[in-house]
């Protein structure tokens, strides 16, 4: 079972929620929008890279995995907290996390490419990097299909086009097989427990929803008002969910004792499954393993 520290739990949930949206308060909305425009205007056009990157800072775990997948792992000179795959990534110095990065270290390392995560990195940091003149590429996949696209883009930027094409082709092949093999299976009502305290789930447009859909699951909170809504146990009980999916994090598992509600089909039939959050929440080629694990859980519910 995977046990995360309190800090990493907060990072994992915060980062996933930030994958597709950042909530701005009224007072800061105009200023934040202005800054965002300044940051994005300086992102590299990957179709015409200025030069082949030899010194890369990767500011997200998924970007690190992508770079290694295309054979560009040796170009990474610094990364971020929780970038722990593959094993070689653990030896790369971390210069920050969701709370921000050490800007002085960035300047010292003098990278020719910085791969940011606009949904998970601090906006002020992104703007400062662009204002300092660094070449910045935003790796922020929103769907399963986007992973292959970004593998190819990173291949162009790092001069690893051939290996990137191979990785993208293999990823697309595996994803296509999964979708085709599950398309005609009976739909299964799924409740994805993103976190227990507060109780949170996923809805339309979220990264996890793309995975549930690939497995022909029926997300019981698909039409919730936000992509990562906070809900109640009572809300879940009204859904007749046939499967409950959780991360393997101990805090998420023990946060709600579902055995108290045997009237819920998922509880009655013992279809509560714990899955590897890294495989599910990181938009990298390993996401295929997460999709396969989720599909296997739904298959169990279909036959039992």
């Amino acid at each position: 079972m995977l046990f995360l520290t309190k800090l990493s739990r907060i990072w994992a949930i915060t980062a996933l929620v930030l994958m597709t949206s950042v909530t701005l308060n009224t007072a800061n909305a105009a200023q934040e929008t202005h800054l965002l425009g300044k940051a994005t205007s300086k992102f590299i056009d990957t179709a015409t890279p200025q030069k082949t990157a030899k010194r890369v800072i990767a500011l997200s775990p998924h970007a690190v995995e992508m770079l290694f997948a295309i054979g560009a792992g040796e170009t990474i000179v610094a990364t971020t907290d929780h970038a722990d795959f593959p094993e070689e990534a653990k030896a790369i110095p971390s210069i920050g996390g969701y709370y921000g990065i050490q800007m002085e270290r960035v300047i010292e390392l003098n990278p020719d490419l910085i791969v940011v995560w606009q949904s998970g990195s601090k906006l002020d940091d992104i703007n400062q990097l662009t204002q300092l003149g660094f070449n910045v590429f935003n790796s922020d996949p929103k769907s399963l299909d986007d992973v292959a696209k970004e593998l190819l883009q990173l291949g162009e930027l790092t001069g690893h086009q051939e290996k990137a094409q191979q990785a993208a082709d293999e990823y697309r092949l595996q994803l296509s097989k999964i979708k085709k093999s599950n398309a005609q299976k009976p739909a299964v009502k799924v409740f994805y427990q993103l976190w227990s305290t507060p109780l949170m789930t996923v809805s339309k447009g979220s990264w996890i929803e793309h995975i549930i859909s690939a497995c022909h699951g029926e997300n019981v909170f698909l039409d919730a008002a936000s992509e990562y809504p906070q809900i109640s146990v009572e809300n879940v009980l009204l859904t007749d969910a046939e499967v409950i999916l959780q991360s393997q994090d101990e805090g998420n598992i023990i946060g709600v004792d579902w055995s108290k509600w045997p009237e819920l089909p998922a509880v009655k039939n013992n279809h509560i499954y714990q899955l590897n959050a890294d495989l599910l929440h990181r938009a990298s080629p390993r996401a295929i393993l997460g999709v396969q694990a989720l599909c296997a859980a739904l298959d169990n519910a279909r036959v039992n």
Side-chain angles (χ1 to χ4, degrees):
M1 180 176 291
L2 176 66
F3 293 93
L4 304 176
T5 64
K6 181 178 180 181
L7 179 60
S8 63
R9 287 200 300 269
I10 294 173
W11 164 235
I13 300 305
T14 302
L16 182 62
V17 172
L18 288 174
M19 282 182 68
T20 53
S21 62
V22 178
T23 302
L24 306 176
N25 60 49
T26 303
N28 293 330
Q31 179 183 10
E32 295 282 354
T33 302
H34 173 67
L35 288 171
L36 181 61
K38 290 175 68 178
T40 55
S41 67
K42 290 191 176 182
F43 284 162
I44 285 179
D45 177 1
T46 58
T48 55
Q50 298 174 355
K51 64 177 181 178
T52 299
K54 299 297 184 182
R55 295 178 58 79
V56 180
I57 292 179
L59 295 179
S60 68
H62 77 261
V64 172
E65 293 194 21
M66 284 192 176
L67 287 164
F68 272 98
I70 64 172
E74 76 283 354
T75 67
I76 306 174
V77 296
T79 184
T80 188
D81 294 352
H82 312 299
D84 54 8
F85 187 89
E87 189 67 25
E88 300 94 310
K90 296 179 181 179
I92 303 173
S94 171
I95 58 169
Y98 72 95
Y99 47 82
I101 62 173
Q102 302 169 37
M103 202 61 64
E104 67 278 4
R105 286 290 292 133
V106 175
I107 295 172
E108 290 172 1
L109 290 166
N110 192 30
D112 45 29
L113 176 66
I114 302 175
V115 183
V116 300
W117 181 20
Q118 189 166 296
S119 293
S121 303
K122 287 186 67 175
L123 188 58
D124 287 346
D125 286 344
I126 295 177
N127 280 289
Q128 189 171 353
L129 292 171
T130 58
Q131 290 162 5
L132 287 170
F134 288 110
N135 293 324
V136 177
F137 171 71
N138 178 35
S139 175
D140 202 354
K142 301 298 186 183
S143 70
L144 290 168
D145 291 334
D146 287 345
V147 172
K149 296 175 185 177
E150 291 206 4
L151 287 170
L152 296 174
Q153 290 173 322
L154 289 171
E156 288 289 332
L157 291 170
T158 61
H160 289 76
Q161 294 93 331
E162 184 176 350
K163 185 67 180 293
Q165 187 67 61
Q166 293 172 356
D169 288 346
E170 177 62 22
Y171 175 88
R172 285 170 170 159
L173 177 62
Q174 294 301 319
L175 182 59
S176 177
K177 287 181 178 179
I178 290 172
K179 289 181 176 180
K180 288 181 180 178
S181 66
N182 285 278
Q184 302 304 318
K185 293 179 181 178
V188 178
K189 290 185 176 181
V190 179
F191 166 55
Y192 189 88
Q193 182 179 312
L194 180 61
W195 195 243
S196 60
T197 310
L199 189 58
M200 297 178 66
T201 189
V202 299
S203 69
K204 185 183 299 181
S206 65
W207 171 260
I208 296 297
E209 168 53 31
H210 287 284
I211 299 178
I212 294 173
S213 178
C215 298
H216 204 202
E218 181 182 314
N219 182 357
V220 296
F221 288 101
L222 179 67
D223 295 322
S226 64
E227 291 179 359
Y228 300 95
Q230 183 173 328
I231 56 173
S232 67
V233 170
E234 289 72 21
N235 294 145
V236 178
L237 296 180
L238 291 172
T239 67
D240 289 329
E242 299 170 278
V243 171
I244 295 176
L245 300 175
Q246 308 165 317
S247 69
Q248 293 174 333
D249 182 82
E250 183 184 27
N252 197 19
I253 296 170
I254 68 175
V256 179
D257 182 5
W258 290 107
S259 66
K260 295 179 179 179
W261 295 280
E263 65 271 27
L264 192 64
V267 179
K268 178 182 178 181
N269 297 312
N270 197 30
H271 290 314
I272 302 178
Y273 302 98
Q274 291 79 41
L275 305 177
N276 186 317
D278 286 348
L279 299 181
L280 284 172
H281 296 174
R282 290 187 188 179
S284 75
R286 282 202 305 158
I288 289 294
L289 299 177
V291 179
Q292 290 172 338
L294 194 152
C295 289
L298 300 196
D299 281 342
N300 285 338
R302 290 184 177 105
V303 300
N304 295 308

